[in-house]
Every structure is written in C-alpha cells, then in structure tokens.
Amino acid sequence: MPRTVAERTDALPALAEVFREHGYEGASLSIIGKATGLGKGSLYHFFPGGKEEMARAVLAEIDGWFESHVFAPLREDARPRETVAAMFDAVETYFRSGDRVCLVGALALGEVRERFGESVKSYFERWLDALSVALVRAGWSGTDARALAEEAVVGIQGAIVLTRALDRPDLFQHIIARLRERLDAPSNGEPFGNAS
Amino acid sequence: MPRTVAERTDALPALAEVFREHGYEGASLSIIGKATGLGKGSLYHFFPGGKEEMARAVLAEIDGWFESHVFAPLREDARPRETVAAMFDAVETYFRSGDRVCLVGALALGEVRERFGESVKSYFERWLDALSVALVRAGWSGTDARALAEEAVVGIQGAIVLTRALDRPDLFQHIIARLRERLDAPSNGEPFGNAS
DNA sequence: GTCTATAAAGCGATAGAC
DNA sequence: GTCTATCGCTTTATAGAC
C-alpha cells in the first residue's frame, strides 16, 4: 500500500468499497478519508467535484471493468458458451458469492436515482444486450435469448439481496449454478412455457 | 387526511414511503416532517427513540402486513395454488410493478445491515419457508419446492432492482408472469435439470 | 399533542500554509 | 500533493411554552 497516492485511480478501490458498504448518503468524507488514507485536501485535489465526482469515478471504473471483462466478450467473442460461463465465473468472484454488494444495483434501489440514473440504466442495458447477443449466437431464438438474459441478470441481483439478507453465501452459489444450467444450451429443450 | 395524528400508526404509511425513497441515512427528520405533516415535537412524542425507532416501527408494520396477507395464507391455507397466485397478485400490487422499492430488501443491500439485520433475515426466512410449505402442499417435492421458493423470492427482488434501473414496469410484470407459470403446478413436468 | 427555539455534533466544502 | 483550520449549513435530539 503506497503511502502517497500518486493518482486518483489508486484511491478508487477503497472508495468503491466505502460506497458499497455505506451507500452514497452514508459514505461521509471522514469515512472516505479513513478508508483511502487521504485527507480532505488530497481528496478534493483528486476529485474537485467532491463526493459526487468520487461516486461517478467509481461507477465509471466498475462500468469499465464489466465492459471489458464481461460485456465486450459476450458481444464480440465467437465462442458464446465460453463467454457466458466466464460471465458467471466473473460474477461469483466479483460479488464474492453475494457478500459484496453490486453498487450499481444498490444505487438503482436507493436514494439517488436521478443523480446516477443514466449510468445505472446504461450499465444494465448493455449487460442485457450483450448477454442476449451471446445467447443468440449460442443457438437460442431472439425471444428466448432476451428472456433468459433478463432472467440471469435479475437472478444475480436478487441473489445478492437474498444472500446478504440471510447471510448465506451458499445460496448465491446455488442460484448461479442453476442459472448456468438454464443458459447452457438450447438443445436441452425449450426453456419454459411461452416465452412471448 | 387528519390534521391531527392521533396514533403513531397513522404516520407509518408516509414514514414508510420516505424510507423507501431516501433510504435510512437519506431520510432526514426534515423530510420526514414534511411527509408526515408532523413537527419534530410530535415525531419524538410518538417515537422517543428517534429515527431508528421510526424505521423499526415501519419494518414491523411491513412485516405484519406480509405475515397476515401472504405468509400465513401460504402456510395454513388448504388451497396452495390459490394462495401462491394471491402472493403474486399481492407482490404486483404492493410493489407497484417494481416502481416501489422493497424496503426490507433495500436495507439488506444497504448501509445498516447490523442495525436491522435480524428483522431482515426473519422476513425473508419466513417468506421462503411459507412458500415452500405451500409448494409442497401443491405437489412439489421438498427439494423442488425449496428451489422454486428461492427462485421466486430472488426473482421478485431482482425484478425490483432491474425495473427501477431501466424504468420499465413491463419488465417487472413479465418476470412475475414467468414465475407464476413456473410455480403453477408440478404436473407440467420436472421444473429443470437437477434440482439438487 | 404540537409548536418554536436551541443545543451539540457532524456534514460537505474551502482556504492557505507548507 | 498533503495538511490543519475553519466556514456555513444541516443533522439528530432536547427543552419548554402553550
């Protein structure tokens, strides 16, 4: 851990954890200062826009990570089954089996929708679109691919809520495992009833 | 709307909406005062424990509503398919097609887990247990009933997150409709792969 | 039971020394 | 780039009049 933070990028991981743990309103500058090891002077040097700019920087970092590690491969890679499997791997690792909150999802539920609404919306839209593309490439119909993509992202977000509520990481892994099976291959039969 | 609030119960609906919209930390006493029409004097008269007591009262009210309108019927009513259908009806109405946040779920994600953790845990445990009981009574195996109950509650919570993120109430209704089908009857075939 | 006034603390943000 | 001191404001909570 560097005593001196050379770039604001270096502060983003700790910053992200603070926002995840305390939410936007609950993340006070004193908590942020302790978590990052930075005084207010340094914080405002790196983030002249204050807390809101810090949150936007964190959101952008999270978005960039998912874009390059998850969304882009789903959209562009020619091996859809591998990238879907890699998506679930990434989700299990990233959210630490539901122990770590999805900040984007938390902001969607939370207090400050209109402030970060556009970023939140774009994140989930691109996730759904990219996953749909991969599923179509894997052989699902467009309609089924959409429905399954929604089911997967909904399942992941819901699993985080329930896992934290019940404090049961095994539940998270169980739900992810079930989603893996269901998205695996269209040849296993029609997914369910009328996917209108 | 009564000018004078006779009991603290009368203030709970407005109070609940404030906590849902702003979260626990974001719900300031001035916002609460405006929403309830009560001054600080009255608020502390009804809730000597301050904001935390207000939130606990709201949680207890929500819990009581679900317990009597949803959980108890699922557990005790002899017509499981009807009570499961009624649960989905209640969910669609109560959460206003995903426009209204589940406060219990939001607290689970949010800032103050250790403060309300026990209430949150109990709420979701009783929901899962009650739904499992009804599904077993409807003919599902114990294992499948558990898995489907988890899937339903996870789906509902995830649907709220995604619906608010994308601002698409139709998505909420679509997901609920799919869950309805899947929980409807075991005679429609095995639910999916290995529900271990 | 409701009000106003007020206390004490914490908040986000700024300024200026170094 | 980091620090301390400080500003102005809002916060939760209390006190006391009515």
Side-chain angles (χ1 to χ4, degrees), chain B residues 129-195:
Chain B
D129 289 346
L131 183 51
S132 294
V133 167
L135 291 174
V136 166
R137 193 176 286 136
W140 296 93
S141 75
T143 313
D144 288 346
R146 248 290 137 177
L148 281 170
E150 289 170 1
E151 186 174 342
V153 178
V154 161
I156 290 165
Q157 295 297 314
I160 294 174
V161 173
L162 221 62
T163 297
R164 278 179 66 95
L166 300 176
D167 198 21
R168 275 186 47 202
D170 62 296
L171 178 61
F172 187 84
Q173 291 163 336
H174 185 220
I175 291 164
I176 297 296
R178 226 178 317 147
L179 288 172
R180 276 185 201 268
E181 285 175 32
R182 206 168 286 164
L183 269 64
D184 190 41
S187 55
N188 292 353
E190 278 307 297
F192 39 73
N194 65 329

Side-chain angles (χ1 to χ4, degrees), chain A residues 113 151 164 182 192 194, chain B residues 113 151 164 181-182:
Chain A
R113 261 227 316 254
E151 186 173 343
R164 277 180 66 94
R182 205 168 289 167
F192 39 71
N194 64 329
Chain B
R113 263 228 315 255
E151 186 174 342
R164 278 179 66 95
E181 285 175 32
R182 206 168 286 164

Side-chain angles (χ1 to χ4, degrees), chain A residues 21-22 101 108-109 111 113 124 147 150-151 154-155 158 162 164-165 171 174-175 178 181-182 192 194, chain B residues 21-22 101 108-109 111 113 121 124 147 150-151 154-155 158 162 164-165 171 174-175 178 181-182 192 194:
Chain A
E21 272 309 302
H22 297 87
V101 158
L109 273 193
E111 50 259 61
R113 261 227 316 254
F124 282 115
E150 290 170 1
E151 186 173 343
V154 161
L162 220 63
R164 277 180 66 94
L171 178 60
H174 185 219
I175 292 164
R178 224 175 321 145
E181 285 176 32
R182 205 168 289 167
F192 39 71
N194 64 329
Chain B
E21 273 309 302
H22 298 88
V101 160
L109 273 194
E111 50 258 63
R113 263 228 315 255
K121 189 173 182 180
F124 282 115
E150 289 170 1
E151 186 174 342
V154 161
L162 221 62
R164 278 179 66 95
L171 178 61
H174 185 220
I175 291 164
R178 226 178 317 147
E181 285 175 32
R182 206 168 286 164
F192 39 73
N194 65 329

Side-chain angles (χ1 to χ4, degrees), chain A residues 15 18-19 24-41 43-44 47 50-52 54:
Chain A
L15 216 34
V18 172
F19 283 121
Y24 182 75
E25 316 261 12
S28 73
L29 285 187
S30 76
I31 295 177
I32 292 172
K34 273 169 202 149
T36 57
L38 262 40
K40 291 182 190 179
L43 285 172
Y44 276 91
F47 306 94
K51 218 168 87 164
E52 178 159 344
M54 299 180 205

Side-chain angles (χ1 to χ4, degrees), chain A residues 45-93:
Chain A
H45 171 73
F46 289 124
F47 306 94
K51 218 168 87 164
E52 178 159 344
E53 187 173 343
M54 299 180 205
R56 290 194 188 283
V58 166
L59 271 180
E61 158 123 321
I62 293 172
D63 192 283
W65 192 92
F66 274 87
E67 178 61 38
S68 62
H69 287 79
V70 179
F71 304 163
L74 284 173
R75 266 195 306 263
E76 297 155 21
D77 197 291
R79 300 158 302 161
R81 297 185 58 176
E82 281 81 356
T83 56
V84 170
M87 177 192 85
F88 284 119
D89 291 344
V91 161
E92 287 201 84
T93 306

